[in-house]
C-alpha cells in the first residue's frame, strides 16, 4: 500500500526523497485513519488513495487528505496488523513472543519499524536487510563443513550483519492500545 501511495503521488508531484516523506509522515496526525492492509481492494495496484478514501468512508472514518496522512495511515495500519498477527500466533503457540525480528528490505523503513514497536508494545529487531542471501550462504557453508551447524551460522550472521533495535515508546502505549481496539473493530473482531 505504502509503495502504491508513494508512486501515485510521484506521478502528480515528481520524485521525492525518503527524508521528505518521513518528515511528512511525522507531521501527520497519529492514528487518524486506519485500514485493514489485507482487504482485497488493496491487493491490486492503482488509485490507492481513492481506495483508502473509500475504505475510510465505508468504516465511518475521516479519510486522509495529505501525502503524509496517507503514508502514515498505511504504516500505522500495517504495524497494527503485525500486532494482530503476533497475538494470534501467541494464542496458537501458548506462549508470549518477547520480541519481533524483522528481516529483509522492509527493515530499511525506520518509520514502520518504530510504529511496529509501539503497536506491538515490545522491541523490534530489524535486519539483516539481505537475510535471504545470508541464509543461502550459511546453508552452503554448513553443507561444505565450513560452519558446524545452524547455531554457529546464526552467530556468524549476527556478528557480521547490521541490525537495529527499536524500543516501544511507553508514552504512546495508551494511544496505540486505543487504536488497536478500533483496528479490531475494522477487522470484525
Amino acid at each position: 500500500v505504502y509503495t502504491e501511495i508513494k508512486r501515485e503521488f510521484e506521478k502528480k508531484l515528481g520524485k521525492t526523497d525518503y527524508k521528505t516523506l518521513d518528515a511528512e509522515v511525522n507531521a501527520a496526525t497519529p492514528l487518524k485513519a486506519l485500514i485493514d492492509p489485507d482487504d482485497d481492494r488493496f491487493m491490486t495496484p492503482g488509485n490507492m488513495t481513492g481506495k483508502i478514501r473509500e475504505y475510510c468512508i465505508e468504516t465511518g472514518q475521516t479519510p486522509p487528505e495529505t501525502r503524509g496522512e496517507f503514508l502514515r495511515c498505511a504504516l500505522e495500519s500495517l504495524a497494527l496488523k503485525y500486532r494482530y498477527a503476533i497475538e494470534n500466533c501467541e494464542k496458537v503457540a501458548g506462549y508470549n513472543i518477547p520480541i519481533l525480528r524483522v528481516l529483509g528490505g522492509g527493515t530499511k523503513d525506520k518509520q514502520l519499524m518504530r510504529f511496529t514497536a509501539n503497536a506491538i508494545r515490545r522491541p523490534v529487531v530489524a535486519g539483516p536487510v539481505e537475510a535471504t542471501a545470508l541464509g543461502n550462504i550459511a546453508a552452503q557453508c554448513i553443507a561444505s563443513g565450513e560452519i558446524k551447524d545452524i547455531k554457529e551460522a546464526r552467530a556468524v550472521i549476527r556478528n557480521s550483519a547490521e541490525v537495529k533495535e527499536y524500543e516501544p515508546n511507553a508514552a504512546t502505549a495508551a494511544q496505540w492500545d486505543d487504536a488497536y481496539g478500533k483496528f479490531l473493530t475494522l477487522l470484525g473482531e
Side-chain angles (χ1 to χ4, degrees):
V1 175
Y2 180 94
T3 305
E4 283 298 312
I5 295 167
K6 182 179 179 292
R7 188 175 305 145
E8 188 175 325
F9 275 100
E10 284 181 344
K11 285 181 181 177
K12 296 176 192 173
L13 306 172
K15 292 259 186 216
T16 305
D17 61 76
Y18 283 101
K19 186 176 179 179
T20 301
L21 296 176
D22 285 348
E24 291 178 14
V25 168
N26 285 331
T29 303
L31 303 161
K32 175 182 175 181
L34 301 170
I35 60 169
D36 175 3
D38 292 331
D39 187 282
D40 288 343
R41 76 186 88 199
F42 303 124
M43 298 299 150
T44 55
N47 190 28
M48 198 57 65
T49 58
K51 293 173 186 177
I52 291 171
R53 195 175 291 111
E54 175 185 273
Y55 183 93
C56 288
I57 291 168
E58 286 176 14
T59 56
Q61 303 177 80
T62 302
E65 295 175 20
T66 67
R67 176 170 58 189
E69 288 177 350
F70 277 104
L71 294 171
R72 188 168 191 127
C73 171
L75 294 172
E76 289 173 338
S77 297
L78 187 54
L80 289 166
K81 193 67 174 206
Y82 287 158
R83 178 172 173 175
Y84 178 76
I86 288 169
E87 288 184 359
N88 281 297
C89 286
E90 289 175 332
K91 286 177 191 172
V92 171
Y95 63 87
N96 291 335
I97 300 168
I99 63 171
L100 175 64
R101 295 186 184 277
V102 181
L103 307 171
T107 64
K108 293 189 283 187
D109 192 329
K110 294 174 186 172
Q111 294 278 28
L112 178 58
M113 296 299 102
R114 189 168 38 258
F115 290 162
T116 300
N118 290 333
I120 67 173
R121 296 172 49 210
R122 61 194 92 190
V124 171
V125 177
V129 173
E130 298 299 334
T132 301
L134 291 172
N136 286 335
I137 292 167
Q140 292 175 33
C141 288
I142 292 169
S144 69
E146 293 177 48
I147 293 177
K148 184 173 83 174
D149 55 21
I150 190 68
K151 186 176 179 181
E152 185 179 343
R154 287 180 178 150
V156 169
I157 291 171
R158 187 173 33 257
N159 293 328
S160 60
E162 184 179 342
V163 297
K164 181 153 175 50
E165 290 190 34
Y166 297 86
E167 293 290 330
N169 180 349
T172 64
Q175 188 177 20
W176 280 96
D177 286 347
D178 288 346
Y180 187 59
K182 178 180 167 183
F183 185 75
L184 290 175
T185 301
L186 294 175
L187 299 180
E189 298 282 323

